[in-house]
Amino acid sequence: MNLDSFPWLSSLIVLPMAAAALCLLLRHHPRVSRWIALVTTLAILVTAVGLFVTGGGQGGWLRYEDHPWIIPFGIRYTLGLDGISLLLVLLTALTQLLAIVISWRRKYQVAIFFSMLLFMEGGIMGVFLALDLFLFYLFWEVMLIPMFFLIGVWGHERRVYAAVKFFIFTMAGSLLMLLAIIALYLLHGQQTGEYTFALAALQQTDIPGAIEPWLYAAFLLAFVVKVPLVPLHTWLPDAHTEAPTAGSLDLAGLLLKTGLYGLIRIAFPLFPEMAQASFPLLAVLALTGIFYAAWIAYAQHDLKRLIAYSSVAHVGFMVLGFCAWDAIAMEGSVLQMFNHGITTGALFIMAGMIQHRAETRDLGQLGGLWGRVPILSFFFLFFSLASLGLPGLNNFAGEILILLGVFRVNPLWGALALGGVVFAAAYMLRAVQGVIWGPPGPMKHAECWVDLEPREMLVLVPLALLVLWLGLYPEPFLAPIREPVQRLLGGTSLLALKGGMP
């Protein structure tokens, strides 16, 4: 069998969805469902690592699949993997494996819980790989529904409120994008006689000036809601706070990245002139988000809400890097998308571990953990330092590239963003002070606490090693994204070379 002709990209989508369906069929067998989820996500991670090892640093599409699907409507099953999507596929595979491991002891509706995680993995993989806008929208909706149920069914006290708020915000953005996709489809068909959802073909559409801002705004709103960019961020802290740990991990590690990915894969290439015109506004919103979210994060008493607001600040840096439209800044933003998934995901996992032991996330109730659980405290300190951008750790590598690129384009933006780094240090050090240092809080059953278990170490050690690798030697992760970034900045997307064409 020729391994090069094997549909590896399709396997990343079909395998988790088939496993999710199997878990539902075996919903009365939770133990079997756990192992199905673990083996499936492990197989997907091995596949993603294989693609990274064999495909990194090459030009063009590293993998590509194209088949006719719903022919009368010009809908095709088109998938493509370049260096940018490669990093996000790798991040998705790793994150979902960790989500399964940290949820191993879950007892309520186990099979359905794991099926939701697997369905979401298939949907997110599809978003990062689809080159047909109908297919992209389909996967966009598929990943939304499992997260709604994860928050609403397995979340904390205010889970229903948080789930409904998450659904309304993201669904409103999705419907705007659907309207814009249909309008582009009809417009392209009227101009060429060829009705298609292929991204490459739609990129060539001559859009009248009167409607171009509206179509761009629809795509932009759909993606910045998911980012989320201030002032459309209010659903995120509630969703993070009420979601189970695996849900928070997926929200921070993956769903936020789908919005950022949509900006650079869909919105900016389809409307390059409108994108250029909107960069100053987006930069102002990104800078506002950096400072506003940092201020709010510093004032939080709930550890998960503090980390959630830190996510809003971090994505502000990534959006600012996109707005600079500079190669170094863009590479830094894409690398930071991966870094943020590692460090913030690790902090949410640790918040779950701390809550499991202390039965609270209130910083006023915590404190003094270093004396009780030193290994857990060490990892919390390590990931906190990575999150605030300590040199030698992963976030520093991404942020320094963003800042260098932004300074080259607009020194004022760069100087303001640099101030945001100081704010990040303030709220992360407050979290460290509140959790592991200071006087011990009145926590329940503190005398019976155990330090990290082997299963927890199995989750945190690989993440810590990745943080060090990305901080000390990020080149293997930068090399695959260099050429796609250059093509994006040059206005000659890979789509124009191959892919997505009926």
Side-chain angles (χ1 to χ4, degrees):
M1 181 180 177
N2 185 359
L3 292 179
D4 285 336
S5 61
F6 188 82
W8 295 108
L9 302 187
S10 294
S11 71
L12 294 171
I13 299 169
V14 173
L15 190 57
M17 291 196 171
L22 189 57
C23 286
L24 287 179
L25 287 174
L26 299 171
R27 60 185 177 278
H28 299 304
H29 303 276
R31 181 182 174 84
V32 176
S33 299
R34 284 192 187 96
W35 283 103
I36 289 173
L38 180 63
V39 172
T40 302
T41 49
L42 188 59
I44 293 170
L45 179 61
V46 170
T47 303
V49 171
L51 292 172
F52 180 75
V53 171
T54 60
Q58 299 176 15
W61 291 112
L62 307 177
R63 298 280 172 179
Y64 179 77
E65 296 174 22
D66 181 44
H67 305 282
W69 182 20
I70 307 176
I71 297 174
F73 297 101
I75 300 172
R76 300 183 69 85
Y77 177 82
T78 310
L79 305 176
L81 181 81
D82 67 356
I84 296 174
S85 46
L86 175 62
L87 282 195
L88 297 172
V89 162
L90 187 62
L91 179 65
T92 303
L94 175 63
T95 301
Q96 288 305 86
L97 176 61
L98 297 178
I100 297 296
V101 174
I102 63 175
S103 306
W104 195 253
R105 292 180 179 171
R106 186 162 289 280
K107 297 178 180 176
Y108 177 67
Q109 297 288 0
V110 174
I112 300 176
F113 180 85
F114 285 126
S115 71
M116 292 296 107
L117 289 178
L118 290 166
F119 269 127
M120 191 159 55
E121 180 170 18
I124 294 171
M125 287 288 191
V127 166
F128 291 144
L129 295 172
L131 296 179
D132 181 287
L133 283 190
F134 182 88
L135 196 61
F136 178 86
Y137 184 78
L138 180 67
F139 288 128
W140 187 268
E141 293 300 300
V142 166
M143 72 176 181
L144 170 67
I145 296 168
M147 180 53 73
F148 170 77
F149 285 111
L150 282 173
I151 299 172
V153 177
W154 290 275
H156 300 292
E157 289 80 7
R158 298 174 69 240
R159 57 185 179 275
V160 174
Y161 167 78
V164 170
K165 191 174 182 180
F166 162 78
F167 190 81
I168 290 174
F169 268 77
T170 53
M171 182 56 76
S174 299
L175 291 177
L176 288 174
M177 179 167 64
L178 178 60
L179 288 174
I181 290 173
I182 293 173
L184 271 177
Y185 171 79
L186 295 175
L187 196 59
H188 183 81
Q190 290 169 358
Q191 291 177 1
T192 65
E194 179 184 50
Y195 287 88
T196 177
F197 288 93
L199 187 52
L202 295 178
Q203 201 173 329
Q204 309 304 320
T205 305
D206 183 17
I207 306 172
I211 65 171
E212 187 175 13
W214 297 102
L215 296 183
Y216 175 65
F219 277 104
L220 191 64
L221 280 171
F223 296 136
V224 297
V225 164
K226 194 63 71 74
V227 168
L229 201 63
V230 171
L232 302 171
H233 67 289
T234 58
W235 63 269
L236 181 71
D238 291 320
H240 269 310
T241 306
E242 302 304 324
T245 301
S248 296
L249 175 64
D250 282 348
L251 274 170
L254 304 176
L255 261 65
L256 274 62
K257 311 305 183 302
T258 60
L260 294 164
Y261 181 77
L263 287 175
I264 58 174
R265 178 68 79 206
I266 308 278
F268 294 167
L270 276 176
F271 308 93
E273 294 179 1
M274 294 305 306
Q276 290 281 347
S278 69
F279 284 158
L281 173 62
L282 289 176
V284 169
L285 293 177
L287 286 166
T288 303
I290 291 171
F291 286 97
Y292 171 76
W295 175 44
I296 299 296
Y298 187 83
Q300 294 302 310
H301 294 281
D302 186 304
L303 179 59
K304 283 185 79 174
R305 287 186 78 85
L306 188 154
I307 301 170
Y309 276 107
S310 78
S311 279
V312 178
H314 284 141
V315 296
F317 279 99
M318 300 172 216
V319 174
L320 187 65
F322 293 156
C323 294
W325 209 241
D326 171 86
I328 294 178
M330 187 73 75
E331 289 173 17
S333 290
V334 175
L335 180 65
Q336 196 65 354
M337 289 165 68
F338 190 83
N339 288 336
H340 177 263
I342 300 295
T343 50
T344 304
L347 286 173
F348 274 118
I349 291 172
M350 298 216 67
M353 293 175 179
I354 292 169
Q355 184 180 9
H356 175 71
R357 288 168 170 80
E359 299 182 14
T360 181
R361 301 188 305 260
D362 190 339
L363 294 178
Q365 300 292 315
L366 296 169
L369 293 196
W370 194 279
R372 290 171 171 165
V373 280
I375 302 176
L376 183 150
S377 301
F378 165 77
F379 278 102
F380 186 80
L381 176 63
F382 179 80
F383 290 119
S384 298
L385 294 175
S387 180
L388 64 83
L390 189 75
L393 303 180
N394 62 339
N395 274 19
F396 176 79
E399 287 181 358
I400 196 66
L401 289 176
I402 293 173
L403 290 172
L404 285 173
V406 172
F407 263 112
R408 291 204 313 185
V409 174
N410 191 318
L412 177 60
W413 291 1
L416 291 172
L418 194 61
V421 175
V422 178
F423 274 60
Y427 63 72
M428 286 315 303
L429 290 176
R430 179 174 181 272
V432 169
Q433 172 70 22
V435 173
I436 64 177
W437 290 330
M443 291 165 282
K444 296 179 181 177
H445 315 299
E447 67 281 0
C448 303
W449 284 18
V450 294
D451 213 332
L452 288 181
E453 301 172 358
R455 180 178 59 89
E456 295 170 325
M457 292 286 286
L458 191 65
V459 171
L460 296 179
V461 169
L463 291 176
L465 292 176
L466 262 178
V467 167
L468 283 172
W469 183 7
L470 284 154
L472 297 174
Y473 185 54
E475 178 60 22
F477 296 86
L478 285 169
I481 64 179
R482 209 157 274 145
E483 185 172 337
V485 164
Q486 289 293 341
R487 292 186 184 280
L488 183 65
L489 294 175
T492 55
S493 167
L494 289 172
L495 295 164
L497 304 179
K498 177 186 177 186
M501 297 297 288

